[in-house]
Amino acid sequence: MTGAHRDGEGYREDWIPIVQDHNALLMVLEFPKEDYPGSSSYNQGNILDASGDANPPEAWTFNVVEALFEAVVRDTDSGQRDYALFGHSAGGQFVHRFMEFTEENHVRVAVAANAGWYTMPDQDVDFPYGLKNSPLSSKELREAFSRRLVIMLGADDVDPKDTLLQRDRKTDVQGDNRLSRGLNFYQASRDAAREGDDFNWGLMVVPGAAHEHQKMAEAAAPFLLSPR
């Protein structure tokens, strides 16, 4: 899943040398801005409409990923039962919300890399910054914690003045840079998981990486290309 520029071709070029020696099918979803304008319809999965009202689940952008997987399996007569999902920057936002909100999916493992900000597991903060007034119940959140999600962060992705980093009152409470926001999201998620919950999320900080898709892709490859 691409960043805010929706530059699918560039992302594909970064991934080709990583997957070329593996028995893997690479698919890069671009979500062009003409069809999916703004962050609400892409980064946030189109859970809310332009007026801020909830869309029905069948209108969520997340459904495109599942539909594409099922179409490829059908058209290639494949026996594949699952897939790995990766997103960087705005794509990292998409991926972590996909794993939070998509109750039924075929994802084996997902990596959300260098997301700009997060939907925190906080029932007292309004969606999309938290879960208040969102369609995700406490029970469904616990089920989301059981899915395999890796929060991947660049150790040097710490520029608070990055022009692509959203800075406002609602996002700054998560931290003033992507690294601190990701660390806070992961810790808040661990804290939100109840005792006895199956918490299957992981955290990885990549040394020497800033807001760089290629370095994050290389670090994510062992998670994504492993059969289990």
Side-chain angles (χ1 to χ4, degrees):
M1 306 302 298
T2 70
H5 293 305
R6 320 283 179 94
D7 48 338
E9 185 172 347
Y11 272 55
R12 183 188 63 191
E13 293 305 307
D14 284 345
W15 272 100
I16 287 175
I18 297 174
V19 303
Q20 63 184 1
D21 294 328
H22 295 266
N23 183 22
L25 175 63
L26 171 66
M27 292 185 289
V28 181
L29 279 66
E30 198 166 57
F31 288 98
K33 293 181 181 180
E34 310 87 74
D35 300 317
Y36 301 89
S39 64
S40 178
S41 61
Y42 176 49
N43 313 26
Q44 299 166 35
N46 204 42
I47 293 175
L48 301 181
D49 64 19
S51 301
D53 296 322
N55 280 318
E58 55 268 24
W60 295 356
T61 314
F62 303 137
N63 298 324
V64 176
V65 180
E66 282 290 298
L68 177 60
F69 170 73
E70 292 172 357
V72 170
V73 168
R74 181 185 64 249
D75 293 347
T76 60
D77 197 24
S78 170
Q80 188 70 24
R81 297 182 178 180
D82 56 31
Y83 61 93
L85 182 64
F86 172 84
H88 180 258
S89 195
Q93 291 192 44
F94 180 101
V95 167
H96 91 270
R97 294 185 179 107
F98 179 102
M99 296 301 282
E100 285 178 318
F101 286 89
T102 306
E103 186 173 359
E104 296 182 5
N105 63 66
H106 295 85
V107 176
R108 178 179 74 257
V109 58
V111 176
N114 287 345
W117 58 277
Y118 298 82
T119 295
M120 302 292 283
D122 190 332
Q123 300 288 353
D124 295 324
V125 176
D126 285 330
F127 183 80
Y129 305 95
L131 296 177
K132 185 178 179 181
N133 298 320
S134 82
L136 190 70
S137 68
S138 297
K139 177 179 180 293
E140 289 167 335
L141 177 61
R142 294 197 300 273
E143 292 173 354
F145 288 150
S146 71
R147 300 169 192 141
R148 183 60 176 147
L149 170 65
V150 178
I151 303 302
M152 187 168 286
L153 309 169
D156 297 336
D157 197 358
V158 295
D159 183 2
K161 297 182 180 179
D162 188 325
T163 56
L164 292 177
L165 179 66
Q166 184 172 326
R167 295 293 309 272
D168 53 42
R169 178 177 55 84
K170 293 180 178 179
T171 54
D172 281 359
V173 297
Q174 299 181 13
D176 67 359
N177 61 69
R178 293 186 185 89
L179 175 62
S180 62
R181 290 177 181 183
L183 293 172
N184 288 333
F185 172 70
Y186 179 77
Q187 187 59 54
S189 300
R190 282 189 61 89
D191 292 344
R194 298 182 181 181
E195 184 176 353
D197 281 352
D198 183 11
F199 187 75
N200 203 25
W201 292 10
L203 172 70
M204 181 178 180
V205 178
V206 182
H211 201 63
E212 300 166 276
H213 170 253
Q214 186 171 10
K215 287 185 178 180
M216 301 303 286
E218 291 169 352
F223 294 99
L224 302 171
L225 297 174
S226 172
R228 287 293 166 207

